Amino acid sequence: METSLDIRIKKLKEKGYDLSLNKIFDDGFAVWKKIVFLGIFYILFSYLFNNLVNIFISNVTGARVIESEFNEAFTKLSKDPAALQKIVPLFQDYINNPLIVKKTIISFLISLLIFPMNAGVVFCAYQADKKGSASFKDLIRGFQGNKFINLTGLIFIFTIFMIISIFLFFVPVLYFVPAFILAGAFIVIDEAPLLKAIKYSFQVVNMKFGQILLILILSFLISKVLGFLVCGIGLVLTLPFSSAIVYSLYKNTVGTVETTNESDSMTK
């Protein structure tokens, strides 16, 4: 049985869609103002979560001692101009240490578990746009049922593509970041299965790839670079803007298509 998303994607592929740079950012800014505090909560929570995970894994794996030794050695070398050439070998020995590698991998995998809340910020933008406001319950929507499995699967697959890109001088990143951008929204808003969400994201983005890439670059400059320039503190305010832009892309692509049998899940 076709879902609302299936029908909208089919119609979108038939008639296409137009993207207005001004409208994307106007819609994104409008919804960002409504979800900024929920976005700030996500940023602070994820920061605290990742730091606690790093501390815990460091203690469990025994990497804490190696980290302390590295920090002490690094501090001494940085104060001695004649020993600066030893910093690179020191750093290489540190990152290649089996315990550090183990700790890094485990910490990274656990940190992926917080991604559903990132998708929850996009859902908050959807709710704020449709209903005028969003709640904490909307923020944790990505942890409910199959959405959690699909979203963690999505970030895991995306991470694999990013790791592969490292060996290709990061060139594939320019394609895969835009191509995956709507998959999380399809999962958290339309409850789409993982592979279908990725497939539909690729199809929608490929129709206007150049424009979407430009939008994401501008969004990056606003949410990351601008926030960093404001003493880094501005990142707490500007990072949620990225999620608002993701929703705005959803709204101005799939959201432009009307169907006669909208899924009930769209309003839950």
Side-chain angles (χ1 to χ4, degrees), residues 76-92:
K76 289 181 179 179
L77 290 176
S78 62
K79 293 180 179 178
D80 183 5
L84 291 179
Q85 69 273 13
K86 297 180 181 179
I87 290 181
V88 173
L90 175 68
F91 183 73
Q92 290 176 333

Side-chain angles (χ1 to χ4, degrees), residues 4-5 7-9 11-13 15-20 23-24 27 126 129-130 182 186 190 204 207-208 247-259 262 266:
S4 169
L5 180 61
I7 296 171
R8 284 180 286 141
I9 291 292
K11 290 186 176 182
L12 194 70
K13 290 165 65 177
K15 72 171 189 176
Y17 62 86
D18 295 318
L19 279 183
S20 166
K23 191 171 190 310
I24 289 291
D27 289 345
Y126 168 79
D129 187 46
K130 297 297 181 180
L182 292 174
F186 292 151
D190 299 285
V204 173
M207 294 171 68
K208 298 283 185 179
Y247 169 68
S248 184
L249 283 170
Y250 173 94
K251 176 182 179 179
N252 287 278
T253 55
V254 175
T256 63
V257 182
E258 295 182 358
T259 66
E262 291 287 331
M266 292 286 291

Side-chain angles (χ1 to χ4, degrees), residues 23-36 39 118-126 128-129 181-182 185 189 215-216 219 222-224 237-252:
K23 191 171 190 310
I24 289 291
F25 281 92
D26 285 346
D27 289 345
F29 182 71
V31 78
W32 170 79
K33 292 187 293 184
K34 298 178 181 179
I35 66 165
V36 62
N118 182 294
V121 180
V122 177
F123 185 73
C124 286
Y126 168 79
D129 187 46
I181 198 66
L182 292 174
I189 297 175
I215 289 168
L216 294 182
S219 173
I222 294 172
S223 62
K224 271 75 169 183
L237 289 172
T238 58
L239 282 176
F241 184 71
S242 295
S243 297
I245 290 298
V246 172
Y247 169 68
S248 184
L249 283 170
Y250 173 94
K251 176 182 179 179
N252 287 278

Side-chain angles (χ1 to χ4, degrees), residues 68-81:
S68 297
E69 292 175 349
F70 169 78
N71 290 332
E72 183 179 347
F74 181 83
T75 301
K76 289 181 179 179
L77 290 176
S78 62
K79 293 180 179 178
D80 183 5

Side-chain angles (χ1 to χ4, degrees), residues 100-164:
I100 296 300
V101 172
K102 179 180 179 180
K103 175 253 182 178
T104 301
I105 293 175
I106 295 175
S107 297
F108 174 74
L109 291 176
I110 294 178
S111 70
L112 297 182
L113 299 177
I114 203 68
F115 176 72
M117 188 176 288
N118 182 294
V121 180
V122 177
F123 185 73
C124 286
Y126 168 79
Q127 287 289 80
D129 187 46
K130 297 297 181 180
K131 299 183 177 181
S133 64
S135 66
F136 180 78
K137 182 179 179 181
D138 298 320
L139 185 63
I140 61 174
R141 177 180 171 85
F143 292 101
Q144 299 172 5
N146 290 334
K147 288 186 287 294
F148 174 75
I149 297 174
N150 289 328
L151 288 169
T152 51
L154 171 64
I155 191 60
F156 184 75
I157 292 173
F158 178 76
T159 300
I160 291 176
F161 277 94
M162 293 302 100
I163 292 174
I164 293 174

